[in-house]
Amino acid sequence: MKKTILICLAVVGLYTTKAQNLNNMTTREKVEQYASVKLSTDLSFLSDNEKEMLGIFIDVAKIMDDIYWKQAFGDKREVNNLTDLWNYEFAQINYGFWDRMNDWKPFIKGYKAKAPGVTFYPEDMTKEEFNKLNDERKNSQYSVIRRDKNGKLFVKGYYEEYKEDIDKAIVLLNKAIEICDNEGMKKYLVERIKALKTDNYFASDMAWMDMKDSNLDFVVGPIENYDDELFGLKTSFEAFVLVKDPVWSKSLAKFIQLLPSLQKGLPCDEKFKQEVPGTESDLNVYDVLYYAGDCNAAGKTIAINLPNDEKVQLAKGSRRLQLKNAMKAKFDAIVVPIVEQVINPNQMKLINFDAFFSDVMFHEVAHGLGIKNTITGKGPVRQALQGEYSAYEEAKADVLGLYMVNELIKRKEVTNLTEEQCIATFVAGLFRSIRFGSAEAHGRANLMCYNYFEKVGAFTRDNDGIYTINFDKAKKAIEGWSALLLEMEGMGDYEKAAQYSKENAVISDVLQKDLDKINQAGIPVDVVFEQGRKVLGL
Ligand SMILES: [Zn+2]
């Protein structure tokens, strides 16, 4: 899961960079690096009961937030007692006194460093001491380790540890169940309550995967283990209150059905497009109405892939949720200002959120296009290309996503966008991802793409570092780059793939100058949300 989220974030290129020297900034400047955005959406298609449930979910989410404070920091009163407004604000963003975007450095003078296991374990516990503890439940994702009055370690389940909060949440969830008209959601909530009380989430994760036709979704409970830097075991409480985007979700389902016919038209040699792509996928678009706990701390998640339980994944697969309004918030606050630094002002008007969102969505769908098994007897592409696989697979999904949306525009299946808008937004998007360098797979993928497009003249750069796209050549570049990647995957020649990426996933001096310009432009690092019943009028 961790990987998936990171990849998804990279796809949208919304990692943050240390644009300014964070160590020299005042807390006020650090707070101001987070652009404030309202979280809302159109709720008019929901029933009264559904709207009421949303309000209840928000109330439950706030309780998850309270539990997360206890997990990530401890006693929240320490924050409430702060007299400096900016310190208070920054503590709210970070759920504590450590700057998450700056290697967890404490931003309150003299405050202690973050313990690697935060509050999940006693701060003075050693790994040896933990290893000696004779209780299998110590390895659970849903337990904490405490000391008794004699200093001896013991294990305590989450329900017992956070009982007061969880019981309050359960009362509210039962109210939601009473007014819930959707059978799948009802079953899920019933199972989720049981899970919260028993620290066993399997049945509720299964029920969540079975819930297919609900307008609402509610991701709630202890889920990710990022905060446990000691053993990577313990999970953090969080909640997402979500409303499905009915139009996008429906058209995605339709586009996935078109994959086999799009596969036949791929611009590559016949032998690399013999496979028939699958048309099963649980990929949906949502607007988020509330973030709470773990997912609301510092950098905000804009795509979810759950559940994490591999047993559930084997039985039911997983669900991918794309969070559209949160993505738009970051697009407006972060992506547009980046692009304004490098793209010809006459072409800026082609770059818009709908095209951006299409690029992201079709990237996800395009992972299903192309080839999964080499035609050279080298087995699955993933295995054959080894460490090079991720970069090539991400590059393939990028360019085939663009190919796909352009095909659908030609076929008039997509009518709200033009090919030029999608291409311009795609090219602009390269800069977002390249900022993160060549270490990470998606950064490498984008660098290879940038260099290929540059070589064939898909864009030109003037002496001031302003790029102008040549659309005819860009269309040829899409075909050429697709063909090259599909061949690379189909042949599965690791040496060749490694050689190509070594030579082409490089940042030239000229490109570095452009990236420096972007990094010095004082662009926000992330967003914070104004959210809740009031914002939504609930
Ligand atoms: Zn991807």
Side-chain angles (χ1 to χ4, degrees), residues 7 11 363-364 367 394 397:
I7 288 169
V11 169
H363 168 105
E364 289 294 325
H367 274 300
E394 292 309 319

